[in-house]
Amino acid sequence: MSKRLIDNIGSRYVEAANSLTSRKARKRIVAYVESYDDVFFWRMVLGQFENRERYFEVMLPDKLNRLERGKKAVIMKLLTDHVGEGMLACVDADYDYLLQGRTQSSQTMLRNPYILHTYAYAIDNMVCYGPSLHDVCVAVTLNDSHVFDMNQFLVEFSKAVFPLFVWNIWHYRNGLYTKFSITDFLRVIEMGNFKLGAADEMLHRLRRKVDRKVRQLQQEHPEARQSYLQTKEEMKQLGVRADNCYMYIQGHHLFDKVVLPMLRKVCDHLVRLRQNEIVQQSRHAVQRRNELQCYNHSVENISLLLKKNVGFVVSEQYRMILADVARLFPVQDLGTAPTTEQLS
């Protein structure tokens, strides 16, 4: 056999297989994702919509199990011919949600109801949801002290980059992305090493860099004032505001360059606080050594716990994803399904 059977699997195959099983058996719906890191996220989403009649199986498309797999490969190979009631594609939104059909990939993603997307740029953005970050630090350090307002920092970061972010979207919507690409945008908003005691200074430098670039773009496109304002208003209608812009910038940059460095500094500080507390409260050297050893063994890996963070379940973007799934798979008789209040 020249090709493995699974290479040619499609929604029609899944539906046919389901028809051969007992009517009392649950229908299997395959949900294809871009990478291994996406499996847990989409399992968490779709698992809420399982009932006595259907269940979901989240997996990577076997034939695309190579280095170039990803959103484009999944959509081009799977969705053109095969997506239907027995199969879903679950992808990062990237900029396609914000482009609102200006490109072919955006049209494909938005018009096909069997393509589910994150609304936020990527799952990386979801796990970096600001209000959940303190809980991540507590899970890492076992210290619930509040030493830095990470959510507020992300809000101020978002407000600082928002005007330039709108320009970036404006360029992509008008086919001018080579003039101001995502890479160019990220280069401007790069903040360097995070310093816990210099957060305000970092934000001040960021605002100055953004203002300088915005003035440059305004000079390069004097005719774009009205269309820029229109793009800005449309962004707000799509849920992108000055205070949550970080959810829509490139996910890898947010995770690796903004949130993870901040978490490391905060967690390092919390660990030192706990260690000093142990030293001060220990009655003798043996107790101090044992307590420190026990605590140090309890400290978790920051990057790993951040990737597994599920605090985004209260975010606007997550509720929008659930609403999309609910339109495909009605929520009645679901047992553990989201409530109406959760989907509103």
Side-chain angles (χ1 to χ4, degrees), residues 1-10 13 17 32 62-63:
M1 185 177 294
S2 60
K3 296 182 179 180
R4 294 176 61 196
L5 177 61
I6 198 171
D7 287 346
N8 296 312
I9 195 169
Y13 172 84
Y32 280 158
D62 183 84
K63 194 170 184 179

Side-chain angles (χ1 to χ4, degrees), residues 107-123:
Q107 291 177 19
T108 300
M109 190 188 80
L110 295 179
R111 293 178 181 177
N112 194 318
Y114 297 104
I115 304 176
L116 301 175
H117 65 88
T118 53
Y119 286 95
Y121 188 97
I123 294 173

Side-chain angles (χ1 to χ4, degrees), residues 158-170:
S158 292
K159 290 178 180 178
V161 304
F162 183 65
L164 192 60
F165 177 77
V166 175
W167 269 114
N168 196 216
I169 298 299
W170 181 91

Side-chain angles (χ1 to χ4, degrees), residues 185-250:
F185 169 70
L186 297 179
R187 189 177 297 117
V188 175
I189 68 171
E190 172 68 55
M191 291 191 295
N193 295 328
F194 183 87
K195 297 180 180 179
L196 199 57
D200 290 340
E201 181 182 345
M202 293 173 64
L203 290 170
H204 179 67
R205 289 200 305 268
L206 176 63
R207 294 186 190 102
R208 285 191 302 175
K209 289 197 299 178
V210 167
D211 288 344
R212 186 161 55 246
K213 186 63 179 181
V214 166
R215 288 196 299 270
Q216 176 188 331
L217 293 173
Q218 288 173 336
Q219 294 173 358
E220 293 176 359
H221 304 282
E223 78 293 346
R225 185 176 186 277
Q226 191 60 40
S227 59
Y228 172 88
L229 293 176
Q230 182 178 348
T231 300
K232 183 178 180 180
E233 181 59 33
E234 290 179 6
M235 290 299 99
K236 293 180 180 179
Q237 293 173 5
L238 293 173
V240 187
R241 305 183 305 273
D243 65 339
N244 72 352
C245 177
Y246 72 93
M247 294 290 283
Y248 300 91
I249 71 172
Q250 189 190 62

Side-chain angles (χ1 to χ4, degrees), residues 53-64:
E53 298 178 355
R54 61 174 175 263
Y55 72 96
F56 299 91
E57 185 171 352
V58 183
M59 64 177 70
L60 271 68
D62 183 84
K63 194 170 184 179
L64 299 176

Side-chain angles (χ1 to χ4, degrees), residues 145-336:
S145 300
H146 291 260
V147 298
F148 183 74
D149 193 336
M150 292 172 285
N151 181 51
Q152 188 59 38
F153 180 83
L154 286 180
V155 168
E156 296 303 324
F157 169 82
S158 292
K159 290 178 180 178
V161 304
F162 183 65
L164 192 60
F165 177 77
V166 175
W167 269 114
N168 196 216
I169 298 299
W170 181 91
H171 278 78
Y172 275 80
R173 283 189 166 200
N174 288 279
L176 300 173
Y177 53 88
T178 58
K179 301 295 184 181
F180 186 51
S181 66
I182 292 180
T183 302
D184 298 328
F185 169 70
L186 297 179
R187 189 177 297 117
V188 175
I189 68 171
E190 172 68 55
M191 291 191 295
N193 295 328
F194 183 87
K195 297 180 180 179
L196 199 57
D200 290 340
E201 181 182 345
M202 293 173 64
L203 290 170
H204 179 67
R205 289 200 305 268
L206 176 63
R207 294 186 190 102
R208 285 191 302 175
K209 289 197 299 178
V210 167
D211 288 344
R212 186 161 55 246
K213 186 63 179 181
V214 166
R215 288 196 299 270
Q216 176 188 331
L217 293 173
Q218 288 173 336
Q219 294 173 358
E220 293 176 359
H221 304 282
E223 78 293 346
R225 185 176 186 277
Q226 191 60 40
S227 59
Y228 172 88
L229 293 176
Q230 182 178 348
T231 300
K232 183 178 180 180
E233 181 59 33
E234 290 179 6
M235 290 299 99
K236 293 180 180 179
Q237 293 173 5
L238 293 173
V240 187
R241 305 183 305 273
D243 65 339
N244 72 352
C245 177
Y246 72 93
M247 294 290 283
Y248 300 91
I249 71 172
Q250 189 190 62
H252 286 312
H253 181 90
L254 178 70
F255 189 100
D256 294 329
K257 303 293 186 179
V258 181
V259 173
L260 190 56
M262 175 174 63
L263 278 179
R264 283 184 173 137
K265 294 296 185 180
V266 172
C267 287
D268 286 347
H269 187 74
L270 289 172
V271 167
R272 286 195 298 272
L273 287 177
R274 180 66 75 215
Q275 290 171 336
N276 290 338
E277 181 182 272
I278 292 172
V279 170
Q280 293 171 4
Q281 295 180 357
S282 297
R283 296 181 179 180
H284 47 74
V286 174
Q287 183 186 40
R288 180 173 63 250
R289 183 175 63 252
N290 291 340
E291 288 293 327
L292 285 173
Q293 186 178 43
C294 180
Y295 174 69
N296 291 337
H297 286 165
S298 299
V299 173
E300 298 285 352
N301 181 279
I302 300 173
S303 179
L304 181 61
L305 284 189
L306 181 58
K307 287 183 178 180
K308 299 299 182 183
N309 178 29
V310 297
F312 54 75
V313 295
V314 298
S315 68
E316 303 168 36
Q317 296 77 18
Y318 189 70
R319 289 196 294 268
M320 293 167 75
I321 298 171
L322 293 182
D324 284 346
V325 182
R327 280 189 283 271
L328 286 175
F329 307 102
V331 298
Q332 62 267 22
D333 190 31
L334 282 184
T336 59

